[in-house]
Amino acid sequence: MGGNREVPLRELNQQTSRVMARVQAGETVTITKDGVPIGDIVPRGSRLGRPSYPFRTDPMGRLDLPDLGGPVLTDDEIDATLRGMGAIDD
């Protein structure tokens, strides 16, 4: 079968089995929300022609931050400071 077709998110929610049957038959389905593509459902083992990237916590690699001459804080001090931000004092 093959091909690519857009399906609104609402249709995916209401007719999941039908949409997945199309994917199983070899069709790539692009899911849209308000007419804007938000993702693709592809048959297992197929390729879309663009790379997919696994989730990474360091997509840019190690950061090289300049030394601005401020105090050196431990992780615990940074954590305590961040936890205190936004706290409402009575």
Side-chain angles (χ1 to χ4, degrees), residues 1 4-6 8 10-11 14 18-21 26 40-42 48 60 65 69 76 83 85 87-88:
M1 192 171 213
N4 186 348
R5 179 154 174 245
E6 292 186 352
R10 180 176 294 215
E11 182 179 332
Q14 295 173 349
R18 286 185 184 178
V19 173
M20 294 310 294
D40 297 304
I41 303 176
V42 298
L48 279 178
M60 298 182 343
L65 300 176
D76 290 336
R83 288 186 188 279
M85 289 183 170
I88 298 173

Side-chain angles (χ1 to χ4, degrees), residues 3-5 7 11-12 15 17 36 42-43 47 49-50 54 56 67-69 72-73 81 83:
N4 186 348
R5 179 154 174 245
V7 172
E11 182 179 332
L12 176 64
Q15 299 180 14
S17 294
V36 178
V42 298
R47 299 200 43 121
R50 61 182 182 260
R56 292 184 53 165
D67 181 4
L68 300 176
V72 177
L73 302 175
T81 300
R83 288 186 188 279

Side-chain angles (χ1 to χ4, degrees), residues 52-79:
S52 62
Y53 299 97
F55 175 75
R56 292 184 53 165
T57 58
D58 63 341
M60 298 182 343
R62 187 167 168 78
L63 293 177
D64 185 20
L65 300 176
D67 181 4
L68 300 176
V72 177
L73 302 175
T74 67
D75 287 345
D76 290 336
E77 291 170 321
I78 294 170
D79 187 51

Side-chain angles (χ1 to χ4, degrees), residues 25-46:
E27 186 174 343
T28 296
V29 176
T30 298
I31 306 303
T32 62
K33 183 175 182 181
D34 299 324
V36 178
I38 59 172
D40 297 304
I41 303 176
V42 298
R44 187 172 185 124
S46 73

